Each structure stands twice: as structure tokens, then as C-alpha cells.
Amino acid sequence: MIKSIIWKKNSISSAMWMIMAFTVIIVIGSFVVSTAIINSRAQRDYQIRESETLITGVINSIQSNIDNYKDLSRLVMLNDQVIAYLRAENVDKGLSNDAKEGVWNVLNVCRNVDSVYIIRNDGSYMTTGKGIYEVNIDLIQDDSWKNPILEERGSVVFGMNGNGAIYKNNRAPIISITRAIYDIYTQKQTGILIMNISELMLERIITGQGNKEICILDKAGNYISGNKQLGDAYVSKKITNSITHTYARVDGKSRLISGYEFEDIPLVILCSTSGYNKSFPKETQMIIIGLFVSFTVAILLASIFVSRSLTRPILKLSFAMEHTKSKGWMEKIEVDMPDNEIGTLYDSYNSMIEYLNDLFTKLIDQEKSVQKAEMSVLYEQIKPHFLYNSLETISFMALESGAENVHDALETLGSFYRNFLSKGNNVVPLKREITIVKDYLALQKLRYKDILEDSYDIAEDTLEIMVPKLILQPIVENSIYHGIRLKGEPGEIKVSSFLDGEVLHIIVKDTGVGMDDSVIARIMSGDNRSDEVKELGNHSNFGLKGTINRIKYFCNSDDVVSIRSELGEYTEIEIMISLNGTRRDERNV
């Protein structure tokens, strides 16, 4: 055993030094690789920061301009001359010119608005850009074009080229702001406004950034402004409404391309920066080398410390445990241990040994007690047999005296107690439970005569299923004493069973006084505060509450019993036992 421990000690030490050497090699390789990676990432991070700064400036400029144009479109909609044009039942050239003049009065403070179209509901329209546009009025009148705009209830809808209905003669792309116009008094929709913004707005924004590596596309990938070559290299890439970065080939070189797609404006922004950043600083490299040397020395010192403070005490503790085990009885160990976690482990082991020895002593005492209890149970078995024999003797005497009714009652009582007391199994076939109920009700009918009827609807495939013993008789007893008897008129108790998949359902229904929902809720929750629940639960040693608890314990589940009742009509208790679920016997119930 000692040799084995020594071998383990040498093995741990050797492995520790091998791990240290292997770690040093890994650290050297990691240093070389990480230096290259950090240098590359530093370059990339610089490019990303520059690109994000550039693209954020473009985004803010475009958004600011678009917000201004949205405000202008609202002013156009509120212009008195435009309102008069839309309200008129019939329009003439004079009204159109007045509306056009009103639009120009609004737009005279702004540039880059190519044209404005005011379209009435009757299909007529006026425009400030006549002669330089092609207008598809049939498409504008089509529901597929109008409905997306009308659904926004006056909010702005962005699109390219009037959402496909208006094009410049030179086919230059234009951004269109479209919105439904509503009368400020009647709130009825009177027309549609289309404001077309020139691509010159975007060119001015790009020029203002002082960087030629910017390209603006529409969401379909069509070029609008900026560096077209950059757009061609990235047009098929996926962009989201957050700034994304990816590599693409431009002029035969791989370059980092940053992109952004507006959520509501049909524009995509692309940009690229050269990223002329300093390489990884040598000062930083020296710092990393110093850290590497320090790390190596720390590993060496840690290995020595672990060997002295951890490995050796563990080996001593293990040897002491093996030595104690060879004696054949668990005893406390005596060995010098450091005052640290290993010492705590040593104290915990001794405490565990003391606890186990106490436990073994208790188990031996309990085994003796069980043997005594078994002898007591064997003695008690004599009492049921004496009861059976006495009942049979009285039964024969009644039969000889011609008291057939007394004979039948005693036979039924004997059968009831034979099933009730004999064969101390805690689980029985369902058919035996039904027999107990039938015998019990037969005896009760001798007392209550015509006011009590019983019926049974027991499925054949449920008769041999094992259930906890004496779960139906307490329920039937409660049906009589707390249901039918209190109602003061004849009643019926019906017991039925059926299989639903792998679940056995047993239902006991009586036509008694019933229970209200609050009493049912307290019974199911195990609340004993209510007088009604106390009466139901404590009527006998096997009361309703105790029976429900036994069923829950047997099925290892709380969802096994349901109660349905209507005051003055009936009470129905349903037991659900899963055939595949976790089930326990009732030795401790």
C-alpha cells in the first residue's frame, strides 16, 4: 500500500512538471500568434472606428435633411391654397396655379426638392415639376399603390421614384416622401402628396464628409450617389439597420466595407477607410514579453507551492484512510494536517466517521425494534381469525334457527371484514375494492332500507389493476353520512371505472346534498380550518381528507383527485391513477 502511495506521489509530481513545461510552450506559441492577431485586430478596429464615425455622420445628415423635408411636406398640406384646391368640387387652371404658387411659397426656403405632386381623389393633380417627369397616373389610382399610403393615416411613407409611379426623364433616382392628406376640419381624406427629393442632396452630404469612399444605394441595390465601384463590390451583401462590417474585393484587393440600411428610408450607405494606422507598438510587445516571463516564473512557484501545500498532505491523508480501512472497522484517523482546506477535509472525514458509527448503532437498534413489531403484528393476526370464526358460528346458529336474514347479514359482514382485514397487503386489485364497497353498502342498506340504492359500471379491463387498499369505502361512507342522509330522501351511489390510455379513472357519485366550491377548494388544498372540512376529513380513521392524501402518496402526485358537485343535486369524486407514472406502496401511510 505504501509503495502504491509513493508511486502515485511520483506520478503526480512528474505530471505537474510536465504540465508546467507544456504550459510554457503553449504560452510561447500563444504569444507569437496573439501578437499577430492583436496587430491585425488593432488595424481592423481602427478601420471600424473610422468607418463608424464616417457612416454615422452620413446617417445623421441624411436623417436631419429627411426630417426637414417631412416638416416641409406637412406645411404644404396645411397651405390654404392647397387646401382650397383639394376642397373644390371642380378644379380649373386658376385653382391649380394658385395651389402651385402656395407650394412654391413653402419651398422657397429649401433646395433639393425636385417636385411636389398634389393628387386629388378624383384623379386630377397639380405638380411643380411638369415636363421633366413621367407620371403613371393609372398606377397612382390603383389600390395596390394607394392602400399602403392610406393605411398610414397621414404618416410619411418613403419610397423611390414615387413608389414606382414617377420617374425623371433622365432616369436619375429620386427619393419620394408620400403621405395621405386629410381635411383639418372634417378629417376626411382629400388627396395624396408626393414630394420628390433630388439625389443632389446625397451628393452634397457625401462631399461634406470629405471622403470619396462612400456609396449610397437604394434597398434594391441600385446605385444612387457616391463611389459606384464600391457599390458594385458590395451590392449583393446583406446589410441590416445597424452598422455591419465585412470584407469585399475592390480593385482586386480585399477591403473592409461598412454598411448601414435605414429602417424606414429606402437607402443603404456603404463606406470604406484605408486604415493607415501604426502597427502594434513595440512598447506593448515588451510589456507582453515581461508578462510572459512573469507568468512562467509564477507557474514554477505555483507548482512548488501546490506540491508542498496540496499534493503531499493529500497523500498523507489518503494513506491514513487506507490504513484505517484495512482494520475492518471505521475509526477516526490521527495525522498532522495543515490549517487550511485540507485540514478542514480531515476534520470533516473524522466527523463523518463518527456520524456513520452512530448511524450504524441506531440502525441496529431499529432492526431490533422492527423484529419486536413483527412479533406484535403476528399476535394481532389472531384477532381477525377469531372474529371470522365467531361470525361463522353465529351465522350457522341463525341458519339452524330459521333466521335467514340474520344469516345473510352475518355472511355479508364476515365477507366485508375478511376483505377489510385479511391479507395485510397495502395494494389490492380493483375488484377487491369493489367487493368491499358492495359488502359495506349491503350492510348499510339493512339500516337505511329503501332510501339507499347502489349501482356499478366497472370496465372489465380495470378489475385486476392494483390500487391502494380501502380508498373507495371511506368515500362511499362520506357519500352516505354527509350526502344522502342529510338530504332526507332516497338516494343513489354509483361506482364506475374506465381506462383512458394509461390512466385508470374511478368515479364515486352520490345524489346527496352536494358541496359548494369553497368547501371543495378547502378539501383539495388540505385546509383544515373549515368546520365542514373537519367533519368530512375526520369522520373516521379513513376519512375523505386522509384518503385523498393516501392516493396522492401512492401516485407520487398531487393531481390525482377531482371533486365536482352541485348543491342540492350531487357530488362526484374522481380518482385518476397513472399506470406508467411513479407509484409507491403504502407501507408508511
Side-chain angles (χ1 to χ4, degrees), residues 132-144:
I132 63 173
Y133 289 90
E134 298 176 6
V135 181
N136 187 343
I137 193 63
D138 292 333
L139 177 59
I140 290 176
Q141 292 298 318
D142 190 86
D143 289 341
S144 63

Side-chain angles (χ1 to χ4, degrees), residues 20 304 317 446:
M20 187 192 71
I304 295 174
L317 184 61
L446 292 175

Side-chain angles (χ1 to χ4, degrees), residues 85-86 91 96 118-126 137 141:
Y85 173 76
L86 292 173
V91 296
S96 296
I118 305 295
I119 304 168
R120 289 166 47 95
N121 288 339
D122 60 8
S124 60
Y125 66 92
M126 58 74 56
I137 193 63
Q141 292 298 318

Side-chain angles (χ1 to χ4, degrees), residues 341-567:
E341 288 79 0
I342 303 299
T344 302
L345 179 62
Y346 164 77
D347 293 336
S348 298
Y349 175 80
N350 280 338
S351 297
M352 181 187 68
I353 292 298
E354 184 177 358
Y355 171 76
L356 288 176
N357 287 333
D358 290 342
L359 183 61
F360 290 153
T361 301
K362 290 180 181 179
L363 288 175
I364 292 172
D365 292 340
Q366 289 178 359
E367 182 64 25
K368 293 178 180 179
S369 298
V370 169
Q371 291 177 358
K372 292 180 180 179
E374 288 178 349
M375 293 299 295
S376 177
V377 169
L378 183 60
Y379 174 76
E380 291 296 327
Q381 287 281 1
I382 300 172
K383 296 180 180 179
H385 290 290
F386 176 77
L387 175 63
Y388 305 153
N389 294 335
S390 298
L391 288 174
E392 287 180 1
T393 300
I394 297 171
S395 176
F396 283 122
M397 292 173 64
L399 185 63
E400 289 176 357
S401 301
E404 286 81 2
N405 292 337
V406 177
H407 169 75
D408 293 340
L410 289 171
E411 282 290 320
T412 302
L413 181 61
S415 173
F416 172 76
Y417 276 107
R418 187 173 292 106
N419 287 288
F420 191 87
L421 297 174
S422 64
K423 299 181 181 178
N425 297 326
N426 295 303
V427 290
V428 296
L430 177 60
K431 64 181 181 181
R432 177 172 291 179
E433 272 294 286
I434 300 300
T435 300
I436 293 173
V437 169
K438 288 182 177 180
D439 288 342
Y440 175 76
L441 287 176
L443 292 171
Q444 290 295 333
K445 283 192 285 186
L446 292 175
R447 177 181 179 185
Y448 294 105
K449 297 185 174 22
D450 297 335
I451 73 165
L452 181 62
E453 295 292 338
D454 58 327
S455 61
Y456 304 89
D457 183 13
I458 308 300
E460 288 291 334
D461 55 355
T462 65
L463 292 174
E464 298 299 330
I465 296 177
M466 304 300 287
V467 297
K469 186 177 180 180
L470 299 177
I471 58 173
L472 296 183
Q473 186 274 335
I475 296 174
V476 170
E477 183 176 349
N478 277 287
S479 294
I480 295 173
Y481 285 97
H482 303 288
I484 295 174
R485 192 182 67 170
L486 297 181
K487 195 171 185 181
E489 61 183 45
E492 180 184 8
I493 295 176
K494 181 177 180 180
V495 182
S496 58
S497 70
F498 64 92
L499 270 179
D500 182 9
E502 295 297 324
V503 178
L504 169 64
H505 294 257
I506 308 172
I507 301 173
V508 178
K509 181 177 181 181
D510 68 71
T511 58
V513 295
M515 294 182 283
D516 60 31
D517 292 340
S518 62
V519 174
I520 294 175
R522 288 192 289 267
I523 291 174
M524 296 303 294
S525 65
D527 186 356
N528 297 325
R529 293 171 296 176
S530 169
D531 292 337
E532 299 98 318
V533 176
K534 289 178 179 179
E535 185 181 359
L536 286 172
N538 299 324
H539 179 75
S540 67
N541 291 333
F542 297 101
L544 180 59
K545 173 178 166 292
T547 300
I548 293 176
N549 289 336
R550 291 173 57 232
I551 298 171
K552 288 180 179 179
Y553 178 83
F554 176 77
C555 296
N556 197 22
S557 171
D558 288 334
D559 189 19
V560 293
V561 176
S562 67
I563 302 177
R564 297 176 289 273
S565 184
E566 183 177 345
L567 282 175

Side-chain angles (χ1 to χ4, degrees), residues 17 50 57 67 84 184 287 307 329 348 411-412 450 547 555:
W17 289 106
E50 290 295 309
D67 289 341
I184 59 175
I287 292 174
S307 176
W329 180 253
S348 298
E411 282 290 320
T412 302
D450 297 335
T547 300
C555 296

Side-chain angles (χ1 to χ4, degrees), residues 207-449:
T207 303
Q209 297 296 323
N211 191 307
K212 296 181 180 180
E213 300 299 321
I214 300 176
C215 178
I216 299 179
L217 314 171
D218 64 18
K219 288 188 178 181
N222 300 314
Y223 171 79
I224 298 178
S225 182
N227 187 335
K228 189 173 187 301
Q229 191 176 28
L230 187 63
D232 292 339
Y234 202 71
V235 68
S236 62
K237 299 296 182 181
K238 182 178 180 182
I239 312 172
T240 65
N241 55 1
S242 61
I243 299 177
T244 56
H245 309 279
T246 188
Y247 284 94
R249 300 194 69 82
V250 180
D251 292 334
K253 298 180 180 179
S254 178
R255 296 178 60 181
L256 180 69
I257 308 295
S258 301
Y260 177 83
E261 176 182 282
F262 286 91
E263 187 172 358
D264 53 352
I265 305 172
L267 296 179
V268 175
I269 304 173
L270 306 176
C271 75
S272 176
T273 56
S274 57
Y276 294 123
N277 189 27
K278 292 182 179 181
S279 60
F280 197 48
K282 291 184 178 179
E283 293 82 358
T284 305
Q285 295 182 19
M286 295 302 297
I287 292 174
I288 293 178
I289 292 174
L291 291 174
F292 161 71
V293 174
S294 300
F295 181 73
T296 303
V297 173
I299 290 177
L300 178 61
L301 294 176
S303 299
I304 295 174
F305 174 78
V306 169
S307 176
R308 292 182 177 180
S309 302
L310 185 63
T311 306
R312 291 179 183 177
I314 288 177
L315 290 174
K316 289 172 64 177
L317 184 61
S318 176
F319 173 75
M321 291 179 180
E322 290 291 334
H323 179 69
T324 301
K325 186 177 71 173
S326 64
K327 295 181 178 180
W329 180 253
M330 289 188 294
E331 297 179 352
K332 292 184 179 180
I333 58 176
E334 298 291 340
V335 62
D336 292 332
M337 286 286 114
D339 187 16
N340 54 20
E341 288 79 0
I342 303 299
T344 302
L345 179 62
Y346 164 77
D347 293 336
S348 298
Y349 175 80
N350 280 338
S351 297
M352 181 187 68
I353 292 298
E354 184 177 358
Y355 171 76
L356 288 176
N357 287 333
D358 290 342
L359 183 61
F360 290 153
T361 301
K362 290 180 181 179
L363 288 175
I364 292 172
D365 292 340
Q366 289 178 359
E367 182 64 25
K368 293 178 180 179
S369 298
V370 169
Q371 291 177 358
K372 292 180 180 179
E374 288 178 349
M375 293 299 295
S376 177
V377 169
L378 183 60
Y379 174 76
E380 291 296 327
Q381 287 281 1
I382 300 172
K383 296 180 180 179
H385 290 290
F386 176 77
L387 175 63
Y388 305 153
N389 294 335
S390 298
L391 288 174
E392 287 180 1
T393 300
I394 297 171
S395 176
F396 283 122
M397 292 173 64
L399 185 63
E400 289 176 357
S401 301
E404 286 81 2
N405 292 337
V406 177
H407 169 75
D408 293 340
L410 289 171
E411 282 290 320
T412 302
L413 181 61
S415 173
F416 172 76
Y417 276 107
R418 187 173 292 106
N419 287 288
F420 191 87
L421 297 174
S422 64
K423 299 181 181 178
N425 297 326
N426 295 303
V427 290
V428 296
L430 177 60
K431 64 181 181 181
R432 177 172 291 179
E433 272 294 286
I434 300 300
T435 300
I436 293 173
V437 169
K438 288 182 177 180
D439 288 342
Y440 175 76
L441 287 176
L443 292 171
Q444 290 295 333
K445 283 192 285 186
L446 292 175
R447 177 181 179 185
Y448 294 105
K449 297 185 174 22

